[in-house]
Amino acid sequence: LVTILSFGLKAPFYEMEDGTEVSNPATLSFAVDTSDLTKETYETTAAATLVADHDWKNIGAPGVRGSACTLLNGHILLDAGVTAAVNLGRFGAEPDAVTDLLITHTHIDHFDPQAIGKIIAARSADAAPLHIHCSPEGVEILRGNGLETQCRITAVKPGDTFPVGETQVTALSSNHLIKERFAEETMWYLFSMKQGNLLYALDGAWITTRTAEMLRGISLDWAVWDATVHQTADQRSFEHNDLTMVEMI
């Protein structure tokens, strides 16, 4: 049984285990109790619903959901787009609590050096340096913005596996394109936790053969899918999913 959380331009939906759909939340925070399996609780907060509204100056207003920013287990931040610092504040998340930031790709709605700089600046002087994991291209952008002296930066590529606290993380290839940095390999992440396995699959259409092979034999408990395209046969389906594509996958 896989619990699916899917986000799109028109309306994100959260499909409960009984098949019930909860649709169009402006923001979403949920906990999945897996006590029948592991006596543990997994929690994620979607500090923004991962869509590019492009009206972020009005963040918090009805219908303005912000750029990608998801907090996993209270300390792992997945992506930090333009509104990341604002979104953490809206949800009362303390910057000091964030130990690691994982970047999927360098589009500005997922990776904004200025927003990352604000998060770093809001941390207390005695906090451990924020550890940022991103592509080599992202590393160069962070260095170009003078952030390498303010945090710890590690280059990641698809196929890499590394620990973040008690969580084992695997970087996976995704089918997405950075036109400005054509050689950049965009990524998804697999989180292997004592509570179960979470696939964070943003952004990217379908699933690459390489990733499918790496996931073979792994039981997924939760999956967060790209569902940017709200209508089948949209041209964006070359690098974003619609819900029909998610169902097929």
Side-chain angles (χ1 to χ4, degrees), residues 3-240:
T3 299
I4 296 176
L5 180 63
S6 185
F7 294 102
L9 274 175
K10 289 298 182 182
F13 76 86
Y14 173 42
E15 185 175 335
M16 306 294 287
E17 293 182 0
D18 62 2
T20 304
E21 291 185 5
V22 181
S23 63
N24 201 28
T27 53
L28 180 63
S29 176
F30 70 95
V32 178
D33 185 0
T34 60
S35 57
D36 57 326
L37 299 176
T38 61
K39 307 298 183 183
E40 297 290 343
T41 297
Y42 151 86
E43 182 172 336
T44 183
T45 297
T49 50
L50 321 184
V51 292
D53 293 287
H54 300 302
D55 192 17
W56 296 320
K57 64 180 180 299
N58 295 320
I59 183 67
V64 181
R65 293 170 285 181
S67 56
C69 179
T70 301
L71 188 62
L72 177 62
N73 285 342
H75 73 99
I76 303 173
L77 190 61
L78 311 179
D79 285 331
V82 176
T83 62
V86 175
N87 283 321
L88 288 180
R90 289 177 64 206
F91 281 84
E94 294 294 335
D96 280 6
V98 179
T99 61
D100 293 76
L101 168 59
L102 278 63
I103 301 296
T104 57
H105 62 289
T106 60
H107 279 151
I108 197 168
D109 57 326
H110 290 254
F111 173 78
D112 179 30
Q114 291 187 357
I116 294 171
K118 291 178 181 178
I119 294 172
I120 293 173
R123 295 166 65 84
S124 59
D126 57 350
L130 178 65
H131 192 174
I132 302 176
H133 312 258
C134 60
S135 66
E137 291 80 3
V139 171
E140 291 306 311
I141 293 172
L142 292 172
R143 288 174 175 167
N145 281 267
L147 295 178
E148 75 276 12
T149 62
Q150 304 175 40
C151 60
R152 180 183 173 192
I153 305 173
T154 299
V156 177
K157 64 181 185 301
D160 287 351
T161 299
F162 54 94
V164 176
E166 297 181 351
T167 299
Q168 191 74 5
V169 182
T170 302
L172 304 167
S173 65
S174 68
N175 182 31
H176 198 58
L177 176 65
I178 312 296
K179 293 180 180 178
E180 302 85 356
R181 290 168 288 279
F182 204 78
E184 179 179 339
E185 293 188 271
T186 59
M187 292 177 286
W188 294 349
Y189 290 106
L190 172 67
F191 297 90
S192 300
M193 307 170 286
K194 57 185 178 182
Q195 304 98 317
N197 296 315
L198 166 69
L199 175 64
Y200 184 78
L202 301 172
D203 281 345
W206 301 108
I207 184 169
T208 68
T209 304
R210 181 180 179 186
T211 291
E213 188 62 30
M214 291 185 68
L215 291 175
R216 190 180 301 278
I218 296 176
S219 177
L220 296 178
D221 300 284
W222 307 278
V224 181
W225 288 107
D226 177 337
T228 297
V229 182
H230 72 281
Q231 185 174 354
T232 300
D234 188 294
Q235 65 177 0
R236 290 168 297 174
S237 61
F238 287 106
E239 58 176 340
H240 292 287

